[in-house]
Amino acid sequence: MARHTDEVQALEQIEERAAAGTAIDPVLVAATLRRLLADEDPIVVDETITHSRVVQRHLRRETPDSYFYVQGGLGQGIAVALGVKLAAPDRTVVFTVGDGAYLYNPIVQSLHASQAHDLPVLIVVFNDHKYLSMQMNHLRFYPDGAAVDTGEWLGVDLSTQPDPARFAEPFGFHTESVTTASDLEAALDRALKSVRGGTTAVVNVAVSR
């Protein structure tokens, strides 16, 4: 019990620090989602990769079948979320994903399936504008390599990619793009209301790390 209390207090302190800044820390995204979903029993499908521990720790999904981590390779997450919604039509389904993993998904086909089969889900993109996991692998395998010396991380930069939320516009879905912490809660709240009303929503969140 003491260990659990210490863990909860530690998480609360981390969340307080995340909420104090103007930039959007990934912790703030997960904690805000948890608060907005507190009155229901949502299902979270997670394909964030480098932010997965943040999502797990701060969304705190503890009931059975309320959290699924996408396994077996990138690009399956939206389809898994739609399958979960098909199996649990009365529960809110939230898909958390990094911008890199999002681009691995068949985005257009999956969003069309969401529309065609009436499967509204909330998609929250943790957008750090790069393949962070790829950069971490560079560092893991080549800690003294050319990328470290030159700062040129080949295949990592995603800053020129289109806004992830805009892929949903042709389908008439709800879209939001958020760059400041003060706008985050209201944007996620609007998106959740859209999903509860039967329309998929995509929220592109510019995270600080």
Side-chain angles (χ1 to χ4, degrees):
M1 180 63 72
R3 183 175 179 179
H4 174 74
T5 300
D6 291 344
E7 172 69 7
V8 171
Q9 289 177 347
L11 292 177
E12 290 174 350
Q13 291 172 0
I14 293 170
E15 290 176 7
E16 288 173 2
R17 289 196 296 271
T22 56
I24 305 174
D25 191 288
V27 168
L28 182 62
V29 183
T32 302
L33 277 170
R34 186 189 73 244
R35 290 196 303 272
L36 291 173
L37 294 163
D39 294 332
E40 55 189 297
D41 186 22
I43 303 174
V44 175
V45 176
D46 184 21
E47 197 177 24
T48 53
I49 315 304
T50 54
H51 295 116
S52 61
R53 288 183 177 84
V54 168
V55 172
Q56 291 167 16
R57 293 186 74 196
H58 295 277
L59 265 174
R60 306 183 199 174
R61 301 303 305 133
E62 297 174 349
T63 57
D65 295 328
S66 66
Y67 175 87
F68 296 92
Y69 185 70
V70 178
Q71 303 282 349
L74 294 178
Q76 305 175 64
I78 304 179
V80 172
L82 294 178
V84 168
K85 183 62 179 178
L86 185 64
D90 296 329
R91 294 173 69 182
T92 299
V93 175
V94 179
F95 174 48
T96 54
V97 62
D99 55 324
Y102 185 66
L103 291 172
Y104 272 83
N105 279 264
I107 302 169
V108 173
Q109 298 91 329
S110 299
L111 294 177
H112 179 262
S114 172
Q115 182 184 61
H117 300 287
D118 192 22
L119 299 170
V121 297
L122 171 60
I123 300 172
V124 181
V125 183
F126 287 60
N127 191 349
D128 57 13
H129 298 99
K130 60 183 175 182
Y131 283 121
L132 181 57
S133 62
M134 192 175 294
Q135 183 173 352
M136 292 169 67
N137 282 332
H138 273 295
L139 288 168
R140 182 171 62 164
F141 291 109
Y142 308 105
D144 301 314
V148 176
D149 292 336
T150 64
E152 296 182 14
W153 303 92
L154 298 178
V156 169
D157 181 31
L158 294 176
S159 61
T160 61
Q161 296 296 317
D163 181 332
R166 296 193 66 183
F167 289 101
E169 290 179 355
F171 300 96
F173 290 158
H174 182 93
T175 64
E176 298 263 2
S177 292
V178 190
T179 59
T180 58
S182 60
D183 294 330
L184 178 64
E185 184 167 348
L188 290 174
D189 186 46
R190 288 190 294 268
L192 278 167
K193 288 176 179 175
S194 172
V195 172
R196 291 166 184 147
T199 300
T200 286
V202 182
V203 183
N204 170 40
V205 183
V207 293
S208 59
R209 60 182 175 93

